[in-house]
Amino acid sequence: MTPQELSDFALELPDAVDDEAFGPGATVFKVEGKVFAILQDSSGERPAQVTLKCEPDLALHLREQYTAVEPGYHVNKRHWNTVVLNGTVPVEEVREMVEHSYDRVVSGLPKAARDRLRLLRAA
């Protein structure tokens, strides 16, 4: 998955917005003001990567399954994974990780916001 494909997919989720809260080179995706993805541009030898929220047991499983999935970069490593976008993780798997991250963040929102977003997603 390319960074542009990831960005396009993340912004298709209900009420998802992006900005450069951490400065140029890092696009932050939020829902209701809460971060669910941080996309970092490639730099020199390092390919682009995305940091995503993840249920802790699943995070460990994904790290074991894919060498391109690492503990979250500059975030709580128990609840976040960083996925190197080097083509070794299937596109559909990356999409599932993005949706899972979004869903984890939405589940922590107030009930009214959760209900509204779930209705938008079902539509």
Side-chain angles (χ1 to χ4, degrees), residues 18-50:
D18 65 341
D19 66 26
E20 290 187 340
F22 302 136
T27 304
V28 179
F29 297 90
K30 299 178 183 181
V31 59
E32 295 288 318
K34 304 290 184 182
V35 175
F36 70 91
I38 304 165
L39 178 61
Q40 294 177 286
D41 295 340
S42 58
S43 172
E45 297 291 315
R46 182 186 55 80
Q49 59 188 24
V50 63

mmCIF file of all heavy atoms in Angstrom, residues 18-50:
data_model
loop_
_atom_site.group_PDB
_atom_site.id
_atom_site.type_symbol
_atom_site.label_atom_id
_atom_site.label_comp_id
_atom_site.label_asym_id
_atom_site.label_seq_id
_atom_site.Cartn_x
_atom_site.Cartn_y
_atom_site.Cartn_z
ATOM 1 N N ASP A 18 -7.449 14.904 8.436
ATOM 2 C CA ASP A 18 -5.998 14.822 8.535
ATOM 3 C C ASP A 18 -5.403 16.209 8.723
ATOM 4 O O ASP A 18 -6.011 17.210 8.364
ATOM 5 C CB ASP A 18 -5.398 14.137 7.307
ATOM 6 C CG ASP A 18 -5.605 14.921 6.017
ATOM 7 O OD1 ASP A 18 -6.499 15.790 5.966
ATOM 8 O OD2 ASP A 18 -4.874 14.662 5.045
ATOM 9 N N ASP A 19 -4.249 16.231 9.347
ATOM 10 C CA ASP A 19 -3.490 17.471 9.472
ATOM 11 C C ASP A 19 -2.034 17.110 9.737
ATOM 12 O O ASP A 19 -1.688 15.935 9.820
ATOM 13 C CB ASP A 19 -4.066 18.398 10.551
ATOM 14 C CG ASP A 19 -3.958 17.866 11.976
ATOM 15 O OD1 ASP A 19 -3.057 17.055 12.265
ATOM 16 O OD2 ASP A 19 -4.775 18.254 12.818
ATOM 17 N N GLU A 20 -1.217 18.118 9.831
ATOM 18 C CA GLU A 20 0.202 17.907 10.111
ATOM 19 C C GLU A 20 0.505 18.425 11.515
ATOM 20 O O GLU A 20 1.367 19.278 11.707
ATOM 21 C CB GLU A 20 1.067 18.577 9.046
ATOM 22 C CG GLU A 20 0.973 17.890 7.702
ATOM 23 C CD GLU A 20 1.955 18.443 6.678
ATOM 24 O OE1 GLU A 20 2.452 19.574 6.834
ATOM 25 O OE2 GLU A 20 2.224 17.713 5.711
ATOM 26 N N ALA A 21 -0.180 17.864 12.490
ATOM 27 C CA ALA A 21 -0.058 18.313 13.877
ATOM 28 C C ALA A 21 1.373 18.226 14.399
ATOM 29 O O ALA A 21 1.758 18.986 15.284
ATOM 30 C CB ALA A 21 -0.985 17.492 14.773
ATOM 31 N N PHE A 22 2.157 17.297 13.860
ATOM 32 C CA PHE A 22 3.532 17.123 14.317
ATOM 33 C C PHE A 22 4.535 17.763 13.369
ATOM 34 O O PHE A 22 5.727 17.542 13.474
ATOM 35 C CB PHE A 22 3.865 15.641 14.497
ATOM 36 C CG PHE A 22 2.954 14.932 15.462
ATOM 37 C CD1 PHE A 22 2.439 13.683 15.158
ATOM 38 C CD2 PHE A 22 2.589 15.501 16.672
ATOM 39 C CE1 PHE A 22 1.609 13.015 16.036
ATOM 40 C CE2 PHE A 22 1.751 14.845 17.555
ATOM 41 C CZ PHE A 22 1.261 13.600 17.234
ATOM 42 N N GLY A 23 4.029 18.531 12.412
ATOM 43 C CA GLY A 23 4.900 19.201 11.463
ATOM 44 C C GLY A 23 4.945 18.480 10.124
ATOM 45 O O GLY A 23 4.334 17.430 9.945
ATOM 46 N N PRO A 24 5.670 19.051 9.163
ATOM 47 C CA PRO A 24 5.744 18.454 7.825
ATOM 48 C C PRO A 24 6.368 17.060 7.875
ATOM 49 O O PRO A 24 7.246 16.793 8.688
ATOM 50 C CB PRO A 24 6.633 19.412 7.043
ATOM 51 C CG PRO A 24 6.963 20.545 7.935
ATOM 52 C CD PRO A 24 6.444 20.257 9.299
ATOM 53 N N GLY A 25 5.871 16.193 7.002
ATOM 54 C CA GLY A 25 6.416 14.842 6.921
ATOM 55 C C GLY A 25 5.665 13.825 7.740
ATOM 56 O O GLY A 25 5.943 12.634 7.644
ATOM 57 N N ALA A 26 4.716 14.277 8.551
ATOM 58 C CA ALA A 26 3.907 13.361 9.361
ATOM 59 C C ALA A 26 2.452 13.812 9.296
ATOM 60 O O ALA A 26 2.098 14.860 9.828
ATOM 61 C CB ALA A 26 4.391 13.339 10.806
ATOM 62 N N THR A 27 1.639 13.018 8.629
ATOM 63 C CA THR A 27 0.218 13.317 8.534
ATOM 64 C C THR A 27 -0.513 12.565 9.633
ATOM 65 O O THR A 27 -0.340 11.355 9.775
ATOM 66 C CB THR A 27 -0.336 12.902 7.156
ATOM 67 O OG1 THR A 27 0.427 13.551 6.143
ATOM 68 C CG2 THR A 27 -1.801 13.277 7.017
ATOM 69 N N VAL A 28 -1.312 13.290 10.400
ATOM 70 C CA VAL A 28 -2.047 12.711 11.515
ATOM 71 C C VAL A 28 -3.516 12.603 11.114
ATOM 72 O O VAL A 28 -4.114 13.582 10.667
ATOM 73 C CB VAL A 28 -1.900 13.597 12.774
ATOM 74 C CG1 VAL A 28 -2.686 13.023 13.938
ATOM 75 C CG2 VAL A 28 -0.430 13.755 13.134
ATOM 76 N N PHE A 29 -4.080 11.408 11.287
ATOM 77 C CA PHE A 29 -5.485 11.172 10.981
ATOM 78 C C PHE A 29 -6.242 11.074 12.303
ATOM 79 O O PHE A 29 -5.822 10.344 13.208
ATOM 80 C CB PHE A 29 -5.660 9.889 10.170
ATOM 81 C CG PHE A 29 -4.971 9.966 8.841
ATOM 82 C CD1 PHE A 29 -3.650 9.566 8.704
ATOM 83 C CD2 PHE A 29 -5.631 10.467 7.733
ATOM 84 C CE1 PHE A 29 -3.004 9.661 7.488
ATOM 85 C CE2 PHE A 29 -4.988 10.568 6.509
ATOM 86 C CZ PHE A 29 -3.678 10.164 6.391
ATOM 87 N N LYS A 30 -7.356 11.817 12.385
ATOM 88 C CA LYS A 30 -8.117 11.887 13.630
ATOM 89 C C LYS A 30 -9.598 11.674 13.365
ATOM 90 O O LYS A 30 -10.085 11.943 12.263
ATOM 91 C CB LYS A 30 -7.960 13.264 14.282
ATOM 92 C CG LYS A 30 -6.552 13.630 14.672
ATOM 93 C CD LYS A 30 -6.513 15.033 15.253
ATOM 94 C CE LYS A 30 -5.102 15.457 15.597
ATOM 95 N NZ LYS A 30 -5.078 16.809 16.180
ATOM 96 N N VAL A 31 -10.282 11.238 14.405
ATOM 97 C CA VAL A 31 -11.736 11.206 14.422
ATOM 98 C C VAL A 31 -12.150 11.812 15.758
ATOM 99 O O VAL A 31 -11.614 11.446 16.800
ATOM 100 C CB VAL A 31 -12.305 9.778 14.219
ATOM 101 C CG1 VAL A 31 -11.821 8.799 15.283
ATOM 102 C CG2 VAL A 31 -13.822 9.801 14.147
ATOM 103 N N GLU A 32 -13.036 12.797 15.696
ATOM 104 C CA GLU A 32 -13.469 13.503 16.912
ATOM 105 C C GLU A 32 -12.274 14.032 17.708
ATOM 106 O O GLU A 32 -12.280 14.024 18.933
ATOM 107 C CB GLU A 32 -14.323 12.591 17.795
ATOM 108 C CG GLU A 32 -15.635 12.166 17.180
ATOM 109 C CD GLU A 32 -16.659 13.296 17.114
ATOM 110 O OE1 GLU A 32 -16.783 14.057 18.086
ATOM 111 O OE2 GLU A 32 -17.325 13.404 16.059
ATOM 112 N N GLY A 33 -11.238 14.461 17.011
ATOM 113 C CA GLY A 33 -10.068 15.037 17.662
ATOM 114 C C GLY A 33 -9.099 14.033 18.242
ATOM 115 O O GLY A 33 -8.081 14.410 18.813
ATOM 116 N N LYS A 34 -9.368 12.738 18.075
ATOM 117 C CA LYS A 34 -8.510 11.680 18.621
ATOM 118 C C LYS A 34 -7.737 11.010 17.484
ATOM 119 O O LYS A 34 -8.308 10.647 16.459
ATOM 120 C CB LYS A 34 -9.335 10.611 19.353
ATOM 121 C CG LYS A 34 -10.204 11.156 20.469
ATOM 122 C CD LYS A 34 -9.368 11.603 21.627
ATOM 123 C CE LYS A 34 -10.268 12.056 22.777
ATOM 124 N NZ LYS A 34 -9.512 12.533 23.897
ATOM 125 N N VAL A 35 -6.452 10.814 17.693
ATOM 126 C CA VAL A 35 -5.571 10.246 16.672
ATOM 127 C C VAL A 35 -5.830 8.748 16.508
ATOM 128 O O VAL A 35 -5.869 8.014 17.492
ATOM 129 C CB VAL A 35 -4.093 10.466 17.049
ATOM 130 C CG1 VAL A 35 -3.163 9.777 16.067
ATOM 131 C CG2 VAL A 35 -3.772 11.946 17.150
ATOM 132 N N PHE A 36 -5.983 8.315 15.232
ATOM 133 C CA PHE A 36 -6.050 6.884 14.977
ATOM 134 C C PHE A 36 -4.949 6.412 14.020
ATOM 135 O O PHE A 36 -4.725 5.209 13.881
ATOM 136 C CB PHE A 36 -7.446 6.441 14.483
ATOM 137 C CG PHE A 36 -7.822 6.880 13.098
ATOM 138 C CD1 PHE A 36 -7.553 6.085 11.994
ATOM 139 C CD2 PHE A 36 -8.486 8.088 12.890
ATOM 140 C CE1 PHE A 36 -7.923 6.483 10.720
ATOM 141 C CE2 PHE A 36 -8.867 8.484 11.620
ATOM 142 C CZ PHE A 36 -8.585 7.686 10.525
ATOM 143 N N ALA A 37 -4.243 7.330 13.377
ATOM 144 C CA ALA A 37 -3.136 6.951 12.506
ATOM 145 C C ALA A 37 -2.168 8.111 12.345
ATOM 146 O O ALA A 37 -2.587 9.276 12.290
ATOM 147 C CB ALA A 37 -3.655 6.513 11.136
ATOM 148 N N ILE A 38 -0.893 7.762 12.256
ATOM 149 C CA ILE A 38 0.155 8.754 11.990
ATOM 150 C C ILE A 38 0.974 8.211 10.825
ATOM 151 O O ILE A 38 1.626 7.172 10.945
ATOM 152 C CB ILE A 38 1.062 8.965 13.221
ATOM 153 C CG1 ILE A 38 0.246 9.356 14.446
ATOM 154 C CG2 ILE A 38 2.140 10.013 12.903
ATOM 155 C CD1 ILE A 38 0.999 9.232 15.753
ATOM 156 N N LEU A 39 0.913 8.893 9.709
ATOM 157 C CA LEU A 39 1.618 8.483 8.497
ATOM 158 C C LEU A 39 2.878 9.322 8.357
ATOM 159 O O LEU A 39 2.804 10.551 8.257
ATOM 160 C CB LEU A 39 0.708 8.664 7.281
ATOM 161 C CG LEU A 39 1.291 8.336 5.914
ATOM 162 C CD1 LEU A 39 1.706 6.869 5.824
ATOM 163 C CD2 LEU A 39 0.285 8.689 4.823
ATOM 164 N N GLN A 40 4.024 8.659 8.349
ATOM 165 C CA GLN A 40 5.294 9.356 8.190
ATOM 166 C C GLN A 40 5.832 9.101 6.787
ATOM 167 O O GLN A 40 5.888 7.953 6.331
ATOM 168 C CB GLN A 40 6.299 8.873 9.230
ATOM 169 C CG GLN A 40 5.878 9.252 10.648
ATOM 170 C CD GLN A 40 6.839 8.699 11.660
ATOM 171 O OE1 GLN A 40 6.840 7.511 11.935
ATOM 172 N NE2 GLN A 40 7.647 9.584 12.217
ATOM 173 N N ASP A 41 6.222 10.172 6.123
ATOM 174 C CA ASP A 41 6.788 10.069 4.780
ATOM 175 C C ASP A 41 8.091 9.287 4.807
ATOM 176 O O ASP A 41 8.753 9.193 5.844
ATOM 177 C CB ASP A 41 7.077 11.464 4.211
ATOM 178 C CG ASP A 41 5.817 12.274 3.988
ATOM 179 O OD1 ASP A 41 4.719 11.678 3.900
ATOM 180 O OD2 ASP A 41 5.923 13.520 3.913
ATOM 181 N N SER A 42 8.488 8.777 3.644
ATOM 182 C CA SER A 42 9.791 8.120 3.543
ATOM 183 C C SER A 42 10.875 9.174 3.742
ATOM 184 O O SER A 42 10.671 10.357 3.476
ATOM 185 C CB SER A 42 9.939 7.419 2.196
ATOM 186 O OG SER A 42 9.780 8.343 1.158
ATOM 187 N N SER A 43 12.004 8.718 4.226
ATOM 188 C CA SER A 43 13.108 9.632 4.496
ATOM 189 C C SER A 43 14.418 8.894 4.245
ATOM 190 O O SER A 43 14.722 7.927 4.954
ATOM 191 C CB SER A 43 13.031 10.118 5.942
ATOM 192 O OG SER A 43 14.176 10.847 6.284
ATOM 193 N N GLY A 44 15.144 9.327 3.247
ATOM 194 C CA GLY A 44 16.413 8.663 2.940
ATOM 195 C C GLY A 44 16.197 7.198 2.624
ATOM 196 O O GLY A 44 15.463 6.844 1.714
ATOM 197 N N GLU A 45 16.799 6.342 3.414
ATOM 198 C CA GLU A 45 16.685 4.895 3.219
ATOM 199 C C GLU A 45 15.408 4.320 3.829
ATOM 200 O O GLU A 45 15.031 3.198 3.529
ATOM 201 C CB GLU A 45 17.902 4.190 3.843
ATOM 202 C CG GLU A 45 19.218 4.552 3.201
ATOM 203 C CD GLU A 45 19.330 4.008 1.790
ATOM 204 O OE1 GLU A 45 18.987 2.831 1.572
ATOM 205 O OE2 GLU A 45 19.746 4.781 0.900
ATOM 206 N N ARG A 46 14.752 5.064 4.707
ATOM 207 C CA ARG A 46 13.575 4.565 5.413
ATOM 208 C C ARG A 46 12.315 4.763 4.588
ATOM 209 O O ARG A 46 11.988 5.875 4.189
ATOM 210 C CB ARG A 46 13.431 5.294 6.760
ATOM 211 C CG ARG A 46 12.269 4.810 7.606
ATOM 212 C CD ARG A 46 12.071 5.646 8.859
ATOM 213 N NE ARG A 46 11.911 7.061 8.622
ATOM 214 C CZ ARG A 46 10.780 7.652 8.226
ATOM 215 N NH1 ARG A 46 9.708 6.940 7.992
ATOM 216 N NH2 ARG A 46 10.725 8.955 8.061
ATOM 217 N N PRO A 47 11.575 3.659 4.339
ATOM 218 C CA PRO A 47 10.305 3.811 3.616
ATOM 219 C C PRO A 47 9.246 4.471 4.499
ATOM 220 O O PRO A 47 9.418 4.587 5.717
ATOM 221 C CB PRO A 47 9.911 2.377 3.272
ATOM 222 C CG PRO A 47 10.718 1.493 4.137
ATOM 223 C CD PRO A 47 11.889 2.284 4.641
ATOM 224 N N ALA A 48 8.164 4.875 3.879
ATOM 225 C CA ALA A 48 7.048 5.451 4.644
ATOM 226 C C ALA A 48 6.545 4.421 5.647
ATOM 227 O O ALA A 48 6.701 3.206 5.461
ATOM 228 C CB ALA A 48 5.932 5.859 3.692
ATOM 229 N N GLN A 49 5.943 4.913 6.715
ATOM 230 C CA GLN A 49 5.393 4.024 7.738
ATOM 231 C C GLN A 49 4.174 4.670 8.356
ATOM 232 O O GLN A 49 4.017 5.887 8.325
ATOM 233 C CB GLN A 49 6.442 3.694 8.794
ATOM 234 C CG GLN A 49 7.004 4.908 9.520
ATOM 235 C CD GLN A 49 8.183 4.556 10.415
ATOM 236 O OE1 GLN A 49 8.867 3.571 10.208
ATOM 237 N NE2 GLN A 49 8.417 5.374 11.421
ATOM 238 N N VAL A 50 3.303 3.815 8.913
ATOM 239 C CA VAL A 50 2.099 4.308 9.570
ATOM 240 C C VAL A 50 2.024 3.691 10.955
ATOM 241 O O VAL A 50 2.307 2.507 11.139
ATOM 242 C CB VAL A 50 0.827 4.011 8.741
ATOM 243 C CG1 VAL A 50 0.580 2.518 8.580
ATOM 244 C CG2 VAL A 50 -0.381 4.700 9.340
#
